[in-house]
Amino acid sequence: MNVFIERTKEEKTLSFSGTAQALLESLGINPETVLVLKNEVLVTEDEQLEDNDEIKILTVISGG
Amino acid sequence: MSNPARCKTHFIEQFEKRAWETIERFDLIQEGERICVAASGGKDSLALLHILSKKYAVDALSVDEGIPGYRDSTLDDLREYCADNRVNLRIVSFEDLGAEPLYKQNPAHPCSACGVLRRKALLDYTIEYDLVATGHNLDDEAQSIMMNLLRNQQHLLARLGPRTAARDGVAARIKPFYLTPEKEIRAYCILQGITSNFSECPNIVKSFRWQVQEALNTLEREQPGSKLNIVEEFLSRTYTEEESNLRCQECGGPSSSSLCRACQIIHAS
């Protein structure tokens, strides 16, 4: 799974299968502060993610 | 999003409904009032322009603080949105106020200096309007309330709220997203196809607001509804501040001393 984290502009390649919430927890990201796109589609925290998905984690907080 | 029960269509409907209900609940807009949206080009102001434009004729004003690598991309988004949607846009810089751009000032407390000059720009360039609408959201307001409490500056709470009254030569400020969570605003922009690139001010990690924001987001995760409870508790009380009739001798704007903070900064830069 390719994961792009917008706030830090990091790109990671992970082996992961589980919910979006579980992914965020494994990355130490508070779900309150982000939205998750799966293959360019906005999904909820209970969405199941698979290894071949392209994931973007977008920040929702104001930048200043 | 955390609420799995809403599809795209219903989310957008509910989002817009909350903004209109907020406008109605707090009596924010009267018919015929001239509205200027204070727009940074970030998600909050673009979403606000998008919604208000559905019912009202609005113009946009943006302030370029002069922070290299930060404001450029959001201003590009704003220019594009306003051009595509025929919104009149005016961009003013700190230099237009007679001050140096923020990066040249290099103040010890950049957020404080920046905020003072941004407020002055909004005062000076919105004289012909009845209302200045800002994209302040539920998260912003909960943070502001807690910041004032944590600093024991309770007199400043009177300046918060969904609408601040117009004063002599100063348009009223309104916040249609007063009860809207920040997270939902970004989701609305994505679902509506509104481009809002994330751009982070390099000074934000120096700010007290940043610390409070982090704490409230942790709290909200553990105790959902905390931010709304803070704001509703604030609304249930009445805060007053002794009205100052002082005017700045330099610019004539509202001031607590003979020279307002903005003019002090302009003189020093």
Side-chain angles (χ1 to χ4, degrees), chain B:
Chain B
M1 287 181 284
S2 55
N3 187 345
R6 288 182 285 176
C7 67
K8 174 181 173 179
T9 307
H10 285 113
F11 174 85
I12 290 170
E13 279 177 13
Q14 288 296 314
F15 182 93
E16 294 184 354
K17 185 166 174 251
R18 185 193 282 124
W20 298 129
E21 285 176 349
T22 301
I23 289 169
E24 193 176 328
R25 173 178 169 185
F26 300 111
D27 215 8
L28 298 187
I29 302 174
Q30 307 298 318
E31 197 177 335
E33 286 184 311
R34 295 159 301 172
I35 305 169
C36 180
V37 174
S40 67
K43 65 183 190 315
D44 304 304
S45 55
L46 290 180
L48 185 60
L49 273 172
H50 195 72
I51 286 190
L52 290 182
S53 299
K54 290 174 185 266
K55 286 193 182 177
Y56 305 101
V58 296
D59 294 334
L61 173 70
S62 191
V63 183
D64 185 354
E65 312 89 341
I67 303 175
Y70 166 51
R71 184 60 72 204
D72 309 349
S73 65
T74 58
L75 282 180
D76 285 345
D77 291 338
L78 180 61
R79 284 191 191 94
E80 186 179 332
Y81 181 88
C82 288
D84 290 348
N85 294 278
R86 297 181 181 176
V87 174
N88 291 323
L89 169 65
R90 182 173 198 175
I91 298 174
V92 298
S93 67
F94 281 4
E95 285 136 306
D96 293 327
L97 301 173
E100 296 274 21
L102 200 66
Y103 80 94
K104 282 191 180 172
Q105 292 182 34
N106 197 24
H109 302 288
C111 300
S112 173
C114 186
V116 166
L117 290 173
R118 290 176 66 81
R119 280 191 289 278
K120 178 164 178 55
L122 287 181
L123 280 176
D124 289 357
Y125 289 89
T126 58
I127 290 168
E128 70 266 37
Y129 296 95
D130 300 300
L131 302 172
V132 174
T134 67
H136 288 104
N137 55 54
L138 178 70
D139 294 54
D140 296 325
E141 194 72 0
Q143 290 158 22
S144 297
I145 293 165
M146 293 308 298
M147 286 166 66
N148 285 328
L149 291 175
L150 290 167
R151 283 177 163 161
N152 195 23
Q153 294 176 320
Q154 295 187 38
H155 62 288
L156 296 180
L157 290 170
R159 298 182 187 178
L160 301 178
R163 180 184 173 113
T164 55
R167 287 185 289 164
D168 184 27
V170 179
R173 302 284 177 87
I174 61 168
K175 302 171 186 170
F177 290 154
Y178 191 76
L179 299 175
T180 301
E182 184 161 32
K183 186 171 181 173
E184 296 194 10
I185 297 175
R186 182 84 199 258
Y188 178 79
C189 286
I190 292 169
L191 294 174
Q192 291 285 53
I194 300 169
T195 304
S196 66
N197 289 308
F198 175 71
S199 177
E200 188 167 55
C201 176
N203 295 318
I204 191 170
V205 290
K206 300 175 187 171
S207 72
F208 181 45
R209 179 174 292 277
W210 174 257
Q211 294 173 304
V212 173
Q213 177 178 257
E214 292 265 289
L216 287 182
N217 280 331
T218 301
L219 188 64
E220 183 74 25
R221 187 65 186 167
E222 299 299 324
Q223 302 285 337
S226 295
K227 294 171 189 171
L228 183 60
N229 288 341
I230 290 168
V231 171
E232 289 290 0
E233 171 63 17
F234 165 78
L235 288 170
S236 72
R237 297 167 186 265
T238 303
Y239 296 92
T240 54
E241 182 183 24
E242 204 168 305
E243 190 77 18
S244 169
N245 292 321
L246 277 177
R247 289 274 162 177
C248 174
Q249 290 176 358
E250 186 82 20
C251 70
S255 177
S256 56
S257 61
S258 58
L259 203 61
C260 72
R261 280 278 295 127
C263 286
Q264 289 174 31
I265 293 170
I266 290 167
H267 278 290
S269 69

Side-chain angles (χ1 to χ4, degrees), chain A residues 5-62:
Chain A
I5 304 172
E6 181 182 44
R7 180 147 190 269
T8 55
K9 297 183 173 59
E10 284 178 277
E11 289 194 42
K12 294 173 183 273
T13 302
L14 308 172
S15 179
F16 180 87
S17 178
T19 63
Q21 182 180 339
L23 174 65
L24 295 176
E25 283 170 2
S26 73
L27 294 169
I29 297 172
N30 181 351
E32 182 65 17
T33 65
V34 294
L35 293 167
V36 177
L37 296 189
K38 172 180 145 180
N39 304 321
E40 301 296 332
V41 177
L42 186 60
V43 297
T44 54
E45 286 174 32
D46 60 347
E47 179 81 8
Q48 187 70 21
L49 310 179
E50 301 300 340
D51 238 355
N52 59 347
D53 289 326
E54 294 282 333
I55 304 300
K56 286 183 181 170
I57 299 174
L58 306 182
T59 189
V60 302
I61 57 175
S62 289

